[in-house]
Amino acid sequence: MSTGVAPEDSQDARQKIPATFTDNPERAREILAERVAAMAPNMVLASTYVPPDGAVAAYLLHRLLSRGDNTGVAWHSVFVNSGVEALGTVVKYLRNRHNRAGSAGSCRILVLDPTGTARYVFGHAVPGLPELVADGMAIVGTVDEFLHRIDPGWSAYVVVVDGLVLDGLAPVHSAIEVARARGAAVAWGLLGDATALETLRGSVAAADLVFLGEVAVDNEMPCGTVSFTRDMFALWNNTMDSIAHVSTFGGNGLAMHMMCETLTRWRPTDRHERAAIHRMRHNRFTRSARLRMHSNTWQTRSIDLAAINMTFDRAEGVTYRHGTRTYTDLASGTGPAFRGHNVQSPEVIRAAGSSGDETSRLEAVLARLTGLPIMLPAVSGQSAVDNAILAALCCKPGRATVLTCRGNYSGKGPMSLALSRTSSFFRDRDEHAFSPYPVEVIEVDLADIDGLRQALRRNDIALVWLELVQGYDCVEIPREVLDEIEHRRATAGFLVGVDEVFTGYWRCDLDNFLTCTGRGFRPDLVALSKALSDGLVPIGAVLTSAEVFAQMASAAPDMAHWLRNHYRNDMAAGLARAALEAAERDRHGAADIAAAMEAMLRRAARSPLFAGYRRVGLLGRLVLSPRAIGARPRPSVQNYAEAVVARLIGKRCGAITLQMRFAPSTAGDGAPELIAAMAEVGAFLERLPRWTVDRTTLGSLLGTAGREIAAAVLRVRETYGDRKDRTLD
């Protein structure tokens, strides 16, 4: 069931789209400048990094939602890039819960959203899409309409409280309590309206999930959270789902810093809580235990088992520091730090976005680099993919199908999730785990050219979406696949989009900003990731041609306006423009780094632990031998095995990798350190015996057992402290 676009005379039709970010983010700029001056790690997205403020934020959210641990309900929180991504995570979870329970029929979700955001995010503002795809959602903008639609047929309810007052929600609370008693799950959330905080707090008792948007950081930068009751989180609290669906610890240090300040302002801490926070920030065992208790339990266990649970004290250029030990970053913070860490000057940061329309200036720089003149702002790679899909659907009314290649990974967002189902990182353990999906998706095998030809003959394809190099596995799309798509695109009328989230920024083509440029393949849309901001503030972008944007603006003017403005952030755009202009002048070491990577991979592949390697430009991957992990291992098994080897690389060579993937910085002055580190890693892996891996695994198991005991002790201590000094809100 779907409501589609609201009629013109309805109360939630053609709403004014509110600004997501404040015009003058002084607090964010100043904190970021101070962090960069101190070389504090900021955007380290690899799961090896557990920022102290991430653990603190999860703890503070638990205390806020449990009223000082006095409700008897424990909360687990995860962090995402924005309020939109938080909303998408909630809907993804609710669908997975319904499907995994084997409930009859498809998942049906009723959403109350006075802001109108959900209509755009889930494609209900795309003309004609709701009539083509039954996504099981109804989205309404008023309390009266929400109450009118409540009935026993809904699987779950989502309420966004922005603009609502607590007294006016009494009938909603009553109706939802009845629905919860029948087994329906309920999520309450606050996106950006700080005046509705008390409305949210007064609704938590009737919540199974709670989500926050940019309000958690005073709307100064992208940020989002999703909190689950412990009973609800049990669905994903296992070895596979904890990594595939909610793996983040809040890698952005600035966002976590600001969120901790905001949460403390919302609910001041008592002396017991301040003591607990101090221990989290200064003791890694306490931090690990708190993450188990209040964040992603099994993800914490996984990195503990692999013994890669570390916190860096300093990030400078291509190096991290942990105590007296220095590590070389061979993963560029898993992508965002394409020039290295904290390379931007505090002066540039303090001025970012203060001189007017920086978004338009960034758009001009990207147009020069890519040949695509229109930018749709985003906050991450997955939000960029989401927006690209929405744009394509707007341009092609009457079409609701996206074609992609098997093995594609585009993220976990409301739209991109449907394109990631066959990634080796993200194989669903349940068929159609998150259905109904908001778009129809066709997946073709890279080697099946006949199957591709047959699929391209369909007349309902709006978009063909590709990673020219599938970033997770470093698999390059064959030329014949691109030729077949190019041959059919003009007559079939579909658009072509390319995901350059992990392959752009001169990574897979040392001579061109985009990989597709050097291959002579010209897409209609391109998605870019957080590397735009120099690893400082979440930002992404969709780039498109003027013709495509004109089609979209004509067919769906409201949607076009939302895509152009919702994520518009002049501070992030100013930082991105400065980074790109600096990188263009400072790429002299890229070829030498690529040669060093090739030599490293070739040496490492001689070890019986590996079956071989793949490399495209400055993206490389070692492939574990089937003798080590089996012919077709579960993603969790492969991830764990790779993490153990990555831990050995860190311990013996002082190098940080993205498991068995290598993606060093593509610009900056860190070439000598990167080349030296890769030489050491290659020599080490070449002579790495299997028994060393087994011994490391055993040591990790013993270490994580100690952390489990520490978590149990902390639970007892926390309960005792609360009984001594209860602090009710």
Side-chain angles (χ1 to χ4, degrees), residues 594-624:
M597 179 187 287
E598 176 68 22
M600 173 193 69
L601 294 171
R602 191 184 307 117
R603 290 194 68 177
R606 295 171 188 161
S607 167
L609 195 62
F610 302 107
Y613 72 93
R614 307 184 191 105
R615 183 183 72 85
V616 182
L618 286 173
L619 178 64
R621 196 197 204 298
L622 284 165
V623 181
L624 287 172

Side-chain angles (χ1 to χ4, degrees), residues 179-461:
R180 290 183 79 203
R182 292 196 307 265
V186 179
W188 294 79
L190 178 63
L191 296 177
D193 180 10
T195 64
L197 176 61
E198 290 308 312
T199 305
L200 178 69
R201 296 177 75 170
S203 304
V204 168
D208 300 297
L209 299 91
V210 173
F211 59 97
L212 297 172
E214 283 72 14
V215 68
V217 290
D218 293 333
N219 298 307
E220 291 201 12
M221 66 171 292
C223 185
T225 76
V226 182
S227 300
F228 307 74
T229 65
R230 185 160 292 164
D231 287 344
M232 284 288 144
F233 194 61
L235 179 74
W236 283 353
N237 199 10
N238 57 71
T239 56
M240 186 170 182
D241 296 316
S242 65
I243 296 173
H245 306 325
V246 285
S247 59
T248 181
F249 284 109
N252 187 287
L254 172 63
M256 293 298 98
H257 182 121
M258 294 182 67
M259 186 186 298
C260 289
E261 289 187 352
T262 301
L263 293 172
T264 303
R265 188 173 70 248
W266 286 355
R267 180 189 176 277
T269 54
D270 62 28
R271 63 187 181 88
H272 298 291
E273 292 164 335
R274 289 191 292 274
I277 290 169
H278 178 81
R279 289 191 293 270
M280 276 179 259
R281 286 189 166 131
H282 295 91
N283 185 294
R284 64 189 180 94
F285 294 103
T286 301
R287 185 161 52 249
S288 174
R290 287 293 181 185
L291 285 166
R292 281 172 160 77
M293 293 166 62
H294 305 306
S295 187
N296 193 336
T297 307
W298 264 103
Q299 176 74 349
T300 309
R301 284 177 177 147
S302 296
I303 62 175
D304 279 345
L305 284 168
I308 54 175
N309 190 349
M310 63 178 67
T311 297
F312 302 115
D313 308 314
R314 188 178 177 89
E316 183 175 5
V318 297
T319 62
Y320 300 119
R321 194 175 70 194
H322 177 61
T324 59
R325 184 80 188 271
T326 298
Y327 297 85
T328 304
D329 182 9
L330 297 183
S332 59
T334 69
F338 82 106
R339 290 201 306 146
H341 299 275
N342 292 322
V343 293
Q344 192 55 270
S345 73
E347 291 74 21
V348 170
I349 293 169
R350 288 189 173 97
S354 61
S355 60
D357 189 2
E358 283 287 358
T359 300
S360 294
R361 297 186 184 102
L362 173 61
E363 184 176 59
V365 171
L366 289 171
R368 175 172 54 79
L369 288 170
T370 67
L372 296 169
I374 304 297
M375 181 179 80
L376 309 177
V379 294
S380 63
Q382 79 173 27
S383 63
V385 176
D386 286 341
N387 287 357
I389 296 169
L390 289 169
L393 293 171
C394 288
C395 291
K396 300 296 177 181
R399 301 187 181 201
T401 301
V402 179
L403 184 146
T404 191
C405 295
R406 294 189 66 82
N408 177 82
Y409 180 73
S410 291
K412 312 168 189 176
M415 293 283 170
S416 57
L417 177 71
L419 276 65
S420 304
R421 294 177 296 186
T422 57
S423 165
S424 58
F425 171 72
F426 191 59
R427 285 200 300 269
D428 299 338
R429 66 185 172 109
D430 309 309
E431 188 176 6
H432 306 303
F434 304 104
S435 64
Y437 295 101
V439 291
E440 300 291 340
V441 176
I442 304 170
E443 295 158 322
V444 296
D445 194 281
L446 290 175
D448 186 6
I449 296 298
D450 290 337
L452 175 64
R453 290 194 186 102
Q454 183 176 356
L456 290 174
R457 293 191 185 102
R458 293 178 51 149
N459 61 7
D460 61 344
I461 296 176

Side-chain angles (χ1 to χ4, degrees), residues 27-170:
R27 177 171 161 239
R29 278 196 295 251
E30 187 56 37
I31 293 173
L32 181 58
E34 291 173 357
R35 291 179 62 87
V36 169
M39 297 296 167
N42 185 57
M43 197 177 288
V44 184
L45 300 183
S47 57
T48 56
Y49 179 68
V50 183
D53 280 339
V56 173
Y59 171 71
L60 290 173
L61 282 164
H62 161 72
R63 304 293 288 186
L64 173 73
L65 298 175
S66 66
R67 298 177 64 85
D69 218 17
N70 284 282
T71 63
V73 178
W75 292 86
H76 289 254
S77 298
V78 297
F79 307 99
V80 292
N81 293 298
S82 68
V84 163
E85 291 188 13
L87 182 58
T89 299
V90 166
V91 171
K92 175 178 71 173
Y93 172 88
L94 294 174
R95 285 172 171 160
N96 194 212
R97 176 179 182 266
H98 174 91
N99 295 336
R100 195 164 289 175
S103 304
S106 63
C107 180
R108 298 178 66 235
I109 303 172
L110 178 60
V111 180
L112 169 59
D113 178 15
T115 73
T117 302
R119 290 180 55 245
Y120 296 102
V121 171
F122 295 103
H124 287 212
V126 175
L129 183 63
E131 287 71 44
L132 296 172
V133 180
D135 68 355
M137 294 179 69
I139 302 171
V140 299
T142 67
V143 170
D144 288 344
E145 192 171 2
F146 184 79
L147 291 171
H148 178 72
R149 286 185 174 245
I150 286 181
D151 65 54
W154 298 105
S155 313
Y157 299 88
V158 178
V159 181
V160 178
V161 302
D162 294 56
L164 302 178
V165 295
L166 189 59
D167 291 345
L169 286 177

